[in-house]
Amino acid sequence: MRRIEYLDSVRGLAAFAVVIYHFTGWRWAETMEFKLGAIVFNGADAVSLFFVLSGLVLSWKYFHPDESLAINAAHYRPYVINRVVRLYLPFLAALTVYYVYGHRHDPLRQLVTEFLKNTYHWFEEALLVRGKHDIYGPGWTLEVEMAASLFVPFLALLLRHSRQLFVGLMLAVLFIGSGLIFWGIQHFCLGMLLAYFFRQIEAYDMRQASWYRYRYLVYIAVLALFSIRHITRIYPIGDIGNYWMGIFRLDLFHFTGLASALMLAFIINRPQLQRWLTVRPLLFLGRISYSVYLVHWFFVAYVMDHWNKLTVHLPGPTQSFWGMLGLTVVSTLLTATVFNVLVERPAIRLGRKLSDRLTPRALRIQHAS
């Protein structure tokens, strides 16, 4: 299967943006500087980019190089095994570290006893299906990722059969469902449409389009749509806007998902941008992006919990901010590199091995990462 490396870099940049956002949002979320900065450097809505990307990457093999890959029970079982192992094992390893750190002052006997009794509901959080994310705050995104990804083969079948029915399902889900999983599926569907029309998007000559003369206004509008959640923190949409959003079961994440899809379509269409995205540092960041996402919360929380002690020798608030941000970023990248080697890559290999055992030899294909 063709690996689209520049999309790895996009995922890496999105993970890096999340790190910056969580660091700055921890202490300065209500400041105007943060609100304005988040519009430009929007890590909060990088999750929308993650979901659209996942829809694109996971569905790629169903449409390219053709639609010959059979989607049936023999395919779905190994797909699920591979996906579950790939996501769950690194997550469980990270969650265990977060749990131990959160109870680091407890005696060992108490720590073990409370864990076995599930006093703090570790097992509910570990399942990623109960909406509980107290130990690892960003875990809600993994719950959406896990649930939505299990629908991808079914959605691919529908898209192969009828584009109109696929879009109809997207509209039905939009108006019927309002929960996390529903808008997550919307994001995945947008990514699947990108995969389905990938060749057309690549070949599209925007210079011949009627809107091209207004392209910079279009770019600004898409970026504004991507950051609409932060814009509305400064300029609220008001009761009337909220009323109509509620009528149509719309969430601002629906808009950030659409903007994410448009941004990815732009990248798919621009070879020069793709070349910039395939420089080695960005490709490396893309390879460790899941590990970055899993471990960064530890360092953000640690720095914030020990802020006064860590900044006592720094001359002022500006130096403290940049010093602690640098410490958080460097610690995250170094630890994510180790975590990727020791935990994430073995989980990927194990997932492939287990899924291969369940896949008939005639149906085996190269697994998507």
Side-chain angles (χ1 to χ4, degrees):
M1 188 188 99
R2 172 188 174 189
R3 188 175 187 90
I4 310 172
E5 290 188 323
Y6 61 83
L7 293 182
D8 288 339
S9 297
V10 173
R11 191 184 298 274
L13 289 171
F16 185 78
V18 170
V19 178
I20 305 301
Y21 175 79
H22 283 155
F23 178 90
T24 54
W26 195 291
R27 292 173 68 95
W28 300 279
E30 299 306 318
T31 65
M32 183 57 67
E33 291 85 353
F34 170 80
K35 293 176 182 179
L36 291 173
I39 293 174
V40 178
F41 200 82
N42 186 0
D45 295 300
V47 294
S48 287
L49 203 55
F50 285 140
F51 296 149
V52 177
L53 262 174
S54 291
L56 192 166
V57 173
L58 291 175
S59 66
W60 176 268
K61 58 181 171 287
Y62 301 123
F63 309 116
H64 304 281
D66 51 42
E67 298 182 4
S68 61
L69 175 63
I71 305 176
N72 50 30
H75 166 78
Y76 189 68
R77 284 193 299 270
Y79 170 84
V80 171
I81 292 294
N82 188 37
R83 194 68 184 151
V84 168
V85 173
R86 165 85 174 90
L87 288 178
Y88 263 99
L89 290 189
F91 167 69
L92 292 177
L95 188 65
T96 301
V97 172
Y98 286 118
Y99 180 84
V100 172
Y101 175 75
H103 299 274
R104 61 193 180 280
H105 300 303
D106 296 345
L108 180 60
R109 180 186 293 273
Q110 177 184 340
L111 179 67
V112 174
T113 300
E114 290 180 341
F115 178 80
L116 294 176
K117 290 181 177 179
N118 199 30
T119 303
Y120 298 100
H121 307 288
W122 185 90
F123 292 101
E124 285 89 332
E125 188 155 347
L127 286 173
L128 283 179
V129 294
R130 297 303 180 203
K132 183 184 183 302
H133 309 290
D134 297 329
I135 301 171
Y136 174 61
W140 69 269
T141 61
L142 301 182
E143 180 175 341
V144 174
E145 175 81 18
M146 185 72 258
S149 66
L150 297 181
F151 286 95
V152 167
F154 302 105
L155 294 169
L157 269 176
L158 181 60
L159 183 52
R160 281 180 178 180
H161 176 72
S162 170
R163 289 174 294 183
Q164 291 77 17
L165 285 177
F166 184 84
V167 174
L169 177 66
M170 290 181 66
L171 293 175
V173 170
L174 177 66
F175 289 112
I176 294 173
S178 58
L180 287 177
I181 303 302
F182 286 105
W183 65 251
I185 290 176
Q186 288 283 337
H187 285 61
F188 271 66
C189 286
L190 289 169
M192 294 178 70
L193 288 173
L194 290 177
Y196 186 86
F197 291 106
F198 194 90
R199 300 304 180 199
Q200 293 92 320
I201 296 171
E202 273 190 324
Y204 178 69
D205 187 357
M206 66 172 63
R207 291 172 297 182
Q208 303 301 318
S210 59
W211 58 266
Y212 185 71
R213 69 177 67 182
Y214 310 110
R215 62 190 180 281
Y216 295 113
L217 291 177
V218 173
Y219 300 158
I220 292 172
V222 171
L223 292 175
L225 194 64
F226 183 65
S227 295
I228 192 170
R229 293 199 308 130
H230 297 291
I231 294 173
T232 56
R233 293 186 66 190
I234 301 174
Y235 303 104
I237 60 177
D239 293 337
I240 295 178
N242 286 322
Y243 171 79
W244 286 106
M245 292 273 290
I247 288 291
F248 292 103
R249 298 290 185 93
L250 289 173
D251 188 285
L252 291 178
F253 271 117
H254 288 117
F255 299 106
T256 62
L258 177 59
S260 297
L262 292 172
M263 291 161 62
L264 287 172
F266 180 78
I267 294 171
I268 292 168
N269 183 256
R270 310 307 292 175
Q272 180 63 50
L273 185 54
Q274 294 165 19
R275 286 192 287 271
W276 293 341
L277 287 169
T278 51
V279 297
R280 286 190 176 184
L282 291 183
L283 291 176
F284 175 75
L285 184 61
R287 284 195 295 272
I288 65 170
S289 58
Y290 186 41
S291 295
V292 167
Y293 195 76
L294 287 174
V295 307
H296 83 280
W297 192 250
F298 176 87
F299 295 103
V300 172
Y302 182 86
V303 166
M304 296 303 165
D305 288 343
H306 300 85
W307 185 270
N308 292 334
K309 182 172 68 175
L310 292 171
T311 60
V312 66
H313 297 299
L314 295 175
T318 300
Q319 292 82 354
S320 296
F321 173 85
W322 290 109
M324 292 304 99
L325 177 59
L327 176 64
T328 301
V329 168
V330 171
S331 300
T332 295
L333 293 178
L334 290 176
T335 305
T337 301
V338 176
F339 190 88
N340 175 263
V341 172
L342 297 182
V343 180
E344 185 181 358
R345 289 186 191 176
I348 293 172
R349 291 193 293 268
L350 177 61
R352 289 172 175 170
K353 183 177 181 180
L354 293 176
S355 65
D356 281 345
R357 289 183 177 179
L358 293 174
T359 305
R361 186 179 299 275
L363 297 179
R364 289 181 186 179
I365 62 169
Q366 183 177 354
H367 290 284
S369 295

